[in-house]
C-alpha cells in the first residue's frame, strides 16, 4: 500500500525523486572527484620523492640528524619488501650541506640513494630533463634540482664541491660531477635537493653500513596504509618508527583536511535542503490524507502502524531517489574516471600540487555510498516527525478534517 | 428469517454515559447521562436532529471517543480502561464501521479494501482472498473485485464499505449516516442489504441516521434529543427483509 500511496500524486513523487536523485548524483560525483583528486595529489606528491611511508629512527622527523641511523638498511629494506602491501623499499642517507661552485655556495639537502632501488620508490628520476639519473656503479656523481644548479651556475659535467658534517663529527668534503638536472615542479625539491650514490655518501660521511631512512611504496597509498600495523611491528623490532604519508607531507594533509572540511559544509547544506524538500512534500501528503488516516485508525489500524506505513513511503522514496542518484553520479564518475576532466586555465596551479592537466574522479564504495546513505538516514530521521504527528492523531478529529 | 433478540445478551451496554465538550467557557453536553443496551442481533436505528448526540454516542461505542463519565461495554469489554492501541485492537476484532463518506482506501481495489482488514488481523493471503471475495459477493458486487473506489458508484462504494465492516465478523456494525450521500434507490438497496445481512448472519447493526426509510425498516428505533434517549421502540423487521 505504501508503494501505491507513493504514486497518488505522480508528478509530486516524480519531482521528489528527481530532487533526491540529482542531489545523490551530485554527492557521488563530487565526492568521487574530490577523493580522486586527493588520491592523485597524495600519490603524485609522495611518489616524486617521499614514498608512501618511511622507516626511520625515533625522533628523526623532528630532528633529522645524520647521527640517527639504521644499521644494515639493505637487509631491513629487503625484509620490508616481503610484506604485503609493500612493493619497494629504498634506504637513504641525508645530510644538510653547503654545495659550492667556485665562489657560489648554497645550502642543500644531499641524499645518498641506491639508484636501482630509488627508481622503484621515487619518480624523481623521470623528471630528469637534462643529462641522466644516477645508475648502479656510479661513484663521484650527483644530480641536482635545476633551480639549485641554476643558482650555483652549474652545467652538466661541472664539478660541485660538497661540505658538511660527517657522522663522526669530522668534516665531510667531496667533489662530485654533475650528471643530471631534475625538475619536479615542486620548488623545495628543485631548489634544495641533490642526490648522490649511497655508497659514496656512506664513505664521505663516515656512516659505515648505515642509512637514515628507508622509503617505502606499494601498489597504492591505501595498500601501504593498510600495511602500516605490520610495518610498525617491523619498525619496533628494529627500534625504529614508521612515518605515514601525513607525517611525510603534513602540509598536503592539512590542505586536504581543510579542503574537505569546507566541502563538507556544502555537502551538509545540500543534504539539509533535500531533506527539507522531502519533508515538506511528506507533510503536505499527511495533511491531505489526515481524514484517511483517521478512517484507517477507526477500522482498527493502530496509529503506530499508520505512522510506519507513512515512514515506509518515505524510505521507499528515498531509496529509489538515491539509488537512481548513485547510478547517475556513479556512471558520470566512471566515465570521467576514464576520460578525465581537463583543468584548463588552472593547470599551473595544479602543478604546484603535483597534479596533472587532467583530473580523474575515483569511484569507490566510500564516494558512491556515503553521500546517498547520509540522505537516506537523514530523510528517515526527519520522517519521524510526521510519524510522531500521526501517532498523536485523534481518529474522530482526523475524520472530520476536510 | 430474522434473529430473535428477546433473550440475546447485550453486545453494547452504556451506563450513565455523558460526553461534555468545552467550547471556551461554555460546556456542551453532547451526550447526557445515557443508558442503553444493544442486544446481539439487533437492527437498530439511532435517530435525532443534528447535534442530538448520535455521532458522539456511536463514536464512544466504537472506542473512537471516550465518555466524560459513565461506562461503555462492548461484547463484555469495558472500554474506559483501554489504551488507544487496545481500542484499535477492539475495533479491529469486534466493531465494523460504515461511514457516511464511504471512506474506502483510494489506492486499493474493492477486493483489496476488504482484504485490508483481514490483513490487519494477520490472516493468511489465501483465506484473506476467499473471505474478501465472499464478502464482496454477499453485497452483490461480484465481478467488481479489481475496481478502484473511483470507478465505483456511491452506492457500490458503500456496499464495499459494508462488506469491509462485516468481513472480520464483528460483534456489531456501527453505521453513521450510511445513506446520506446516496440517491434514493441506492439508499433503499443499501438498507435492504444491511437488513438482509443482519437476518442472515445475525450481525448486530446500530445505524445513526436521519433517513426516514432507514428508521421505517429498523426493528428498533432509538430517538435522541439533546444527548438523551427520548424514545426506544421495537417493531417488526419482517417487511424489511421482504
Amino acid at each position: 500500500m505504501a508503494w501505491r500511496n507513493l504514486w497518488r500524486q505522480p508528478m509530486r513523487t516524480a519531482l521528489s525523486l528527481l530532487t533526491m536523485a540529482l542531489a545523490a548524483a551530485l554527492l557521488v560525483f563530487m565526492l568521487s572527484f574530490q577523493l580522486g583528486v586527493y588520491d592523485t595529489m597524495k600519490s603524485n606528491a609522495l611518489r616524486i620523492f617521499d614514498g608512501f611511508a618511511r622507516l626511520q629512527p625515533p625522533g628523526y622527523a623532528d630532528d633529522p640528524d645524520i647521527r640517527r641511523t639504521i644499521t644494515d638498511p639493505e637487509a631491513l629494506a629487503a625484509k620490508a619488501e616481503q610484506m604485503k602491501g609493500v612493493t619497494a623499499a629504498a634506504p637513504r642517507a641525508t645530510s644538510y650541506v653547503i654545495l659550492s661552485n667556485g665562489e657560489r655556495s648554497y645550502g642543500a639537502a644531499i641524499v645518498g640513494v641506491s639508484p636501482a632501488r630509488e627508481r622503484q620508490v621515487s619518480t624523481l628520476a623521470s623528471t630528469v630533463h637534462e643529462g641522466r639519473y644516477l645508475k648502479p656503479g656510479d661513484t663521484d656523481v650527483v644530480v641536482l634540482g635545476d633551480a639549485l644548479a641554476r643558482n650555483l651556475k652549474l652545467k652538466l659535467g661541472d664539478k660541485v664541491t660538497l661540505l658538511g658534517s660527517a657522522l663522526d663529527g669530522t668534516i665531510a668534503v667531496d667533489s662530485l660531477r654533475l650528471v643530471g638536472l631534475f625538475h619536479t615542479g615542486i620548488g623545495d625539491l628543485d631548489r634544495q635537493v641533490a642526490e648522490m650514490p649511497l655508497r659514496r655518501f656512506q664513505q664521505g660521511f663516515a656512516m659505515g653500513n648505515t642509512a637514515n631512512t628507508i622509503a617505502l611504496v606499494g601498489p597504492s597509498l591505501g595498500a601501504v596504509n593498510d600495511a602500516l600495523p605490520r610495518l610498525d611491528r617491523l619498525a619496533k623490532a628494529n627500534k625504529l618508527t614508521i612515518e605515514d604519508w601525513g607525517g611525510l607531507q603534513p602540509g598536503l594533509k592539512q590542505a586536504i583536511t581543510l579542503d574537505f572540511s569546507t566541502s563538507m559544509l556544502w555537502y551538509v547544506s545540500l543534504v539539509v535542503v533535500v531533506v527539507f524538500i522531502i519533508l515538506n512534500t511528506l507533510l503536505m501528503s499527511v495533511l491531505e490524507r489526515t481524514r484517511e488516516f483517521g478512517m484507517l485508525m477507526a477500522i482498527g489500524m493502530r496509529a503506530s502502524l499508520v505512522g510506519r506505513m507513512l515512514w515506509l513511503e518515505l524510505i521507499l522514496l528515498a531509496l529509489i531517489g538515491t539509488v537512481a542518484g548513485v547510478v547517475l553520479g556513479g556512471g558520470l564518475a566512471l566515465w570521467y574516471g576514464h576520460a578525465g576532466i581537463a583543468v584548463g586555465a588552472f593547470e599551473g596551479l595544479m602543478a604546484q600540487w603535483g597534479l596533472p592537466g587532467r583530473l580523474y574522479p575515483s569511484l569507490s564504495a566510500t564516494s558512491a555510498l556515503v553521500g546517498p546513505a547520509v540522505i537516506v538516514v537523514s530523510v528517515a530521521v526527519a520522517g519521524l516527525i510526521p510519524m510522531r504527528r500521526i501517532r498523536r492523531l485523534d481518529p474522530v478529529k482526523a475524520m472530520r478534517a476536510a | 428469517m430474522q434473529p430473535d433478540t428477546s433473550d440475546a445478551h447485550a453486545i453494547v451496554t452504556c451506563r450513565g454515559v455523558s460526553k461534555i465538550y468545552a467550547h471556551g467557557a461554555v460546556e456542551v453536553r453532547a451526550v447526557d447521562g445515557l443508558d442503553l443496551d444493544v442486544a446481539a442481533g439487533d437492527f437498530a436505528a439511532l435517530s435525532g436532529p443534528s447535534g442530538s448526540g448520535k455521532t458522539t454516542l456511536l463514536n464512544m461505542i466504537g472506542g473512537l471517543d471516550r465518555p466524560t463519565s459513565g461506562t461503555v461495554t462492548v461484547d463484555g469489554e469495558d472500554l474506559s480502561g483501554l489504551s488507544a492501541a487496545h481500542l484499535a485492537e477492539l475495533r479491529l476484532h469486534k466493531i465494523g464501521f460504515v461511514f457516511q463518506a464511504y471512506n474506502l482506501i483510494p489506492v486499493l481495489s474493492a477486493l483489496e479494501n476488504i482484504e485490508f482488514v483481514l490483513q490487519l488481523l494477520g490472516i493468511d493471503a489465501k483465506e484473506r482472498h476467499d473471505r474478501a471475495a465472499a464478502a464482496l459477493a454477499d453485497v452483490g458486487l461480484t465481478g467488481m473485485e479489481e475496481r478502484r473506489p473511483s470507478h465505483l458508484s456511491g452506492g457500490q462504494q458503500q456496499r464495499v464499505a459494508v462488506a469491509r465492516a462485516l468481513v472480520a465478523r464483528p460483534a456489531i456494525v456501527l453505521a453513521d449516516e450510511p445513506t446520506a450521500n446516496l440517491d434514493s434507490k441506492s439508499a433503499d438497496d443499501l438498507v435492504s442489504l444491511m437488513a438482509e445481512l443482519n437476518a442472515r448472519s445475525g450481525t448486530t447493526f446500530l445505524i445513526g441516521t436521519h433517513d426516514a426509510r432507514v428508521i421505517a425498516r429498523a426493528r428498533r428505533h432509538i430517538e435522541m434529543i439533546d444527548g438523551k434517549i427520548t424514545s426506544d421502540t421495537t417493531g417488526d423487521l419482517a417487511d424489511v427483509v421482504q
Side-chain angles (χ1 to χ4, degrees):
Chain A
M1 192 155 94
W3 173 253
R4 290 193 196 172
N5 282 334
L6 269 187
W7 300 102
R8 285 181 182 211
Q9 300 277 355
M11 182 58 81
R12 187 195 293 168
T13 300
L15 284 173
S16 298
L17 286 174
L18 193 65
T19 305
M20 265 192 288
L22 287 177
L26 196 63
L27 282 175
V28 170
F29 181 77
M30 289 308 294
L31 210 55
S32 297
F33 181 72
Q34 204 166 9
L35 295 180
V37 170
Y38 291 162
D39 281 349
T40 308
M41 283 167 80
K42 286 188 275 190
S43 194
N44 285 8
L46 293 164
R47 280 308 302 261
I48 283 179
F49 184 72
D50 291 305
F52 293 157
R54 192 166 72 186
L55 286 165
Q56 61 193 22
Y60 188 83
D62 298 326
D63 178 19
D65 190 322
I66 194 171
R67 285 170 294 186
R68 297 180 194 273
T69 57
I70 300 169
T71 308
D72 197 5
E74 289 287 342
L76 189 56
K79 265 190 196 170
E81 280 175 345
Q82 300 301 313
M83 292 191 147
K84 190 184 168 198
V86 177
T87 52
R92 292 170 178 170
T94 307
S95 184
Y96 294 92
V97 297
I98 302 290
L99 293 180
S100 304
N101 175 27
E103 291 185 355
R104 285 187 166 267
S105 297
Y106 271 88
I110 182 90
V111 185
V113 299
S114 300
R117 282 189 175 277
E118 191 65 21
R119 276 181 177 276
Q120 292 174 49
V121 299
S122 160
T123 57
L124 189 133
S126 66
T127 69
V128 172
H129 61 91
E130 222 176 305
R132 64 169 175 84
Y133 187 64
L134 305 174
K135 58 186 183 192
D138 276 345
T139 52
D140 57 342
V141 297
V142 68
V143 292
L144 297 182
D146 55 4
L148 180 58
R150 201 164 46 246
N151 290 338
L152 287 165
K153 291 199 179 300
L154 286 167
K155 57 183 187 301
L156 292 183
D158 287 349
K159 287 280 185 181
V160 57
T161 306
L162 170 160
L163 182 66
S165 287
L167 185 69
D168 57 4
T170 59
I171 302 293
V173 183
D174 206 347
S175 177
L176 304 166
R177 183 167 49 88
L178 180 62
V179 294
L181 299 175
F182 59 81
H183 178 82
T184 61
I186 299 171
D188 286 351
L189 287 177
D190 296 339
R191 277 194 305 271
Q192 294 176 10
V193 171
E195 286 192 354
M196 64 181 287
L198 178 62
R199 187 65 63 203
R200 178 86 172 192
F201 188 104
Q202 288 168 328
Q203 289 163 358
F205 287 84
M207 291 187 73
N209 183 25
T210 64
N212 298 117
T213 61
I214 297 174
L216 306 166
V217 292
S220 66
L221 178 57
V224 174
N225 284 340
D226 291 343
L228 283 175
R230 294 187 292 277
L231 288 166
D232 190 48
R233 284 195 291 277
L234 177 69
K236 283 194 172 112
N238 290 276
K239 296 190 172 119
L240 300 172
T241 59
I242 183 83
E243 188 86 289
D244 67 3
W245 78 270
L248 296 172
Q249 287 279 346
L252 180 61
K253 188 175 185 180
Q254 278 180 350
I256 287 174
T257 305
L258 182 67
D259 184 70
F260 196 67
S261 305
T262 313
S263 306
M264 280 304 290
L265 283 176
W266 288 106
Y267 295 151
V268 168
S269 306
L270 184 65
V271 171
V272 168
V273 169
V274 169
V275 168
F276 272 104
I277 290 172
I278 301 305
L279 195 60
N280 182 48
T281 309
L282 186 74
L283 284 170
M284 279 170 64
S285 172
V286 169
L287 283 175
E288 284 170 6
R289 291 161 59 193
T290 300
R291 187 191 179 97
E292 185 181 316
F293 295 147
M295 177 274 293
L296 289 172
M297 289 159 74
I299 65 170
M301 193 171 180
R302 285 182 182 219
S304 57
L305 199 55
V306 178
R308 263 188 279 167
M309 180 186 72
L310 193 78
W311 193 71
L312 186 62
E313 290 173 26
L314 189 66
I315 296 297
L316 279 173
L317 193 71
L319 283 175
I320 296 167
T322 49
V323 166
V326 169
V327 171
L328 182 65
L332 279 174
L334 277 178
W335 169 261
Y336 282 109
H338 288 293
I341 299 168
V343 292
F346 298 102
E347 207 165 337
L349 186 70
M350 296 294 161
Q352 287 181 19
W353 295 103
L355 289 172
R358 292 187 87 79
L359 296 176
Y360 296 86
S362 165
L363 185 68
S364 62
T366 305
S367 64
L369 299 178
V370 169
V374 169
I375 291 181
V376 173
V377 171
S378 305
V379 167
V381 172
L384 296 176
I385 298 168
M387 195 173 157
R388 276 188 60 192
R389 195 171 158 157
I390 285 174
R391 290 175 82 133
R392 290 200 300 258
L393 211 58
D394 178 292
V396 174
K397 285 180 187 164
M399 280 194 291
R400 280 191 199 130
Chain B
M1 187 66 191
Q2 59 190 0
D4 178 7
T5 61
S6 54
D7 295 325
H9 72 280
I11 287 289
V12 174
T13 308
C14 299
R15 290 289 174 268
V17 171
S18 293
K19 182 69 184 180
I20 302 169
Y21 293 109
H23 287 289
V26 182
E27 280 190 348
V28 178
R29 287 183 171 268
V31 175
D32 190 4
L34 180 147
D35 293 326
L36 174 70
D37 289 311
V38 179
D42 246 351
F43 189 79
L46 181 64
S47 75
S50 293
S52 59
K54 304 185 298 290
T55 298
T56 305
L57 179 61
L58 287 174
N59 285 341
M60 287 192 289
I61 293 170
L64 294 171
D65 209 348
R66 291 176 191 274
T68 309
S69 61
T71 57
V72 176
T73 307
V74 174
D75 202 20
E77 198 150 7
D78 183 355
L79 308 192
S80 53
L82 298 182
S83 66
H86 279 107
L87 285 172
E89 284 292 309
L90 179 115
R91 288 195 294 270
L92 181 62
H93 287 91
K94 296 190 173 177
I95 302 170
F97 281 95
V98 179
F99 305 98
Q100 178 181 338
Y102 326 136
N103 280 351
L104 298 178
I105 301 163
V107 295
L108 301 183
S109 68
L111 189 77
E112 288 167 337
N113 261 284
I114 301 165
E115 272 193 78
F116 183 71
V117 177
L118 300 176
Q119 198 173 358
L120 292 176
L121 284 166
I123 291 168
D124 70 74
K126 172 77 172 68
E127 188 185 344
R128 232 163 45 209
H129 181 273
D130 292 348
R131 277 175 66 176
L136 206 57
D138 282 347
V139 296
L141 291 178
T142 301
M144 298 197 177
E145 288 84 355
E146 300 309 317
R147 288 203 192 178
R148 295 264 179 111
S150 56
H151 292 98
L152 294 171
S153 69
Q156 288 168 333
Q157 287 188 59
Q158 201 61 305
R159 281 166 177 263
V160 175
V162 169
R164 180 179 67 183
L166 285 167
V167 75
R169 294 162 191 155
I172 184 167
V173 172
L174 302 173
D176 191 6
E177 304 283 6
T179 58
N181 285 3
L182 300 180
D183 60 63
S184 175
K185 177 160 189 327
S186 298
D188 274 344
D189 290 348
L190 185 78
V191 178
S192 296
L193 172 71
M194 289 195 291
E196 188 189 323
L197 292 167
N198 164 260
R200 199 193 307 156
S201 64
T203 306
T204 311
F205 278 81
L206 180 59
I207 308 166
T209 186
H210 279 106
D211 192 333
R213 286 165 301 197
V214 180
I215 297 164
R217 292 185 178 191
R219 187 165 52 251
R220 182 179 174 192
H221 178 206
I222 305 157
E223 195 166 8
M224 282 183 77
I225 296 175
D226 293 338
K228 291 181 174 156
I229 293 175
T230 53
S231 75
D232 187 348
T233 54
T234 303
D236 195 338
L237 192 69
D239 57 333
V240 177
V241 178
Q242 284 160 10

